Amino acid sequence: MDHRLTRRGLLAGLLAAAALAACDDAPGVTPAPTDSFDPPQDQPLATWELTGGLTAAGMAALRPPRLVVYGDGDAIADATYRSRLDPDQLRTLANSLADDLRTGASQKKPTPTPTIVDAPVTRVSVWSPTGPLAFTAEGMDELKPDHVYADVLYDARDRLATVHKAVSSTAQPYLATRVRVVAVPALIGQAGTGSPVVPDPSPSATVAAWPADIALPSPDAEGLRRADLDGDPARAAVRMLTRDLDQRGAWPSYRMPDGTVVRASWRYLLPNE
């Protein structure tokens, strides 16, 4: 047996093992650093909203985001239900949304930009370590069969829709100390039904007196009154006004101190509103 070859082989093995042990310090083999994940705890991490569309001014003023997920994992759907994502779920959601919105396909603009009368506008935004990412898409669902928008945008929206469904199905109510109250002139008939749309001209047994503890500003040009309330006025609104929980616009009527009849409802405000 050639002991020199044995010693040479042993030395080579030792050198190879040392090289492997030191590979973490070798150029070109260091694992790529990952972005730190430290979202603001009290601010939205991800938001899904619908704006515009065939919506009465009062309901548009009261409409909440479909879903807001905060940096601490709190998830609130329609300002009505809440749940909580664990850290792994939160990170996965944020990273997946950021990947969707960073792709080149997500930046592609429809040509020409579509316009659909009365179609809502979808807006999705997400926090990322390098800065916020967002997109808006008019008539997103209406234009899906025509492939106007990139598939990754639908992927992003669907991720949030899945969270929205999970939060809503838990049926844990969202409560807050601050509320938004909206009142609009009472009308007879509904737009688009062929019935006349005119102010309610006479008192009715279903018209309640407006609660004295709830002060609203003067109406704007469209007759809309809106106020964000806290403290005793907010508690009075929750106690004395009927909430349009399913957002169908069935608002009760109230007679204001000046004799004006309005329809009104309220919702809880989100932490960042």
Side-chain angles (χ1 to χ4, degrees):
M1 176 181 295
D2 189 342
H3 295 286
R4 291 176 299 174
L5 290 177
T6 302
R7 288 195 296 272
R8 187 179 299 117
L10 179 61
L11 180 60
L14 291 173
L15 291 174
L20 288 173
C23 69
D24 286 344
D25 297 325
V29 297
T30 302
T34 57
D35 291 333
S36 61
F37 185 75
D38 187 23
Q41 298 296 291
D42 57 349
Q43 293 297 316
L45 176 98
T47 303
W48 172 29
E49 300 174 274
L50 292 177
T51 61
L54 185 59
T55 304
M59 291 190 67
L62 198 62
R63 179 165 55 185
R66 293 285 283 153
L67 178 73
V68 181
V69 180
Y70 293 88
D72 61 358
D74 203 15
I76 302 173
D78 300 316
T80 302
Y81 302 107
R82 80 185 308 165
S83 187
R84 197 166 188 86
L85 305 185
D86 64 39
D88 288 341
Q89 292 173 320
L90 192 67
R91 186 178 189 120
T92 298
L93 177 66
N95 288 343
S96 298
L97 288 171
D99 288 344
D100 291 336
L101 271 59
R102 282 195 185 106
T103 63
S106 70
Q107 308 304 318
K108 182 180 178 181
K109 302 294 183 182
T111 305
T113 301
T115 299
I116 300 180
V117 177
D118 299 328
V121 176
T122 296
R123 176 176 172 80
V124 169
S125 60
V126 61
W127 173 92
S128 78
T130 57
L133 302 167
F135 77 83
T136 58
E138 180 182 353
M140 190 172 190
D141 290 324
E142 291 80 359
L143 292 167
K144 188 172 184 178
D146 298 325
H147 304 286
V148 171
Y149 297 107
D151 289 342
V152 289
L153 299 186
Y154 289 98
D155 292 341
R157 192 279 310 273
D158 290 348
R159 294 183 200 281
L160 293 173
T162 299
V163 176
H164 178 278
K165 182 178 180 180
V167 173
S168 300
S169 66
T170 65
Q172 297 297 315
Y174 168 67
L175 306 174
T177 60
R178 298 160 52 246
V179 303
R180 174 167 295 166
V181 176
V182 173
V184 296
L187 304 175
I188 296 175
Q190 295 182 1
T193 64
S195 301
V197 181
V198 296
D200 188 345
S202 60
S204 167
T206 60
V207 178
W210 183 259
D213 294 338
I214 307 173
L216 290 182
S218 299
D220 64 13
E222 295 183 345
L224 186 145
R225 307 170 192 242
R226 179 174 67 181
D228 292 346
L229 307 176
D230 198 355
D232 289 340
R235 287 187 285 272
V238 172
R239 187 173 66 254
M240 299 178 183
L241 300 180
T242 300
R243 184 182 182 187
D244 182 17
L245 191 60
D246 57 7
Q247 301 178 40
R248 294 185 178 179
W251 296 8
S253 297
Y254 303 89
R255 188 169 298 280
M256 303 294 288
D258 63 2
T260 303
V261 177
V262 299
R263 299 192 189 279
S265 188
W266 64 274
R267 71 168 174 87
Y268 288 113
L269 286 169
L270 298 174
N272 59 300
E273 289 186 306

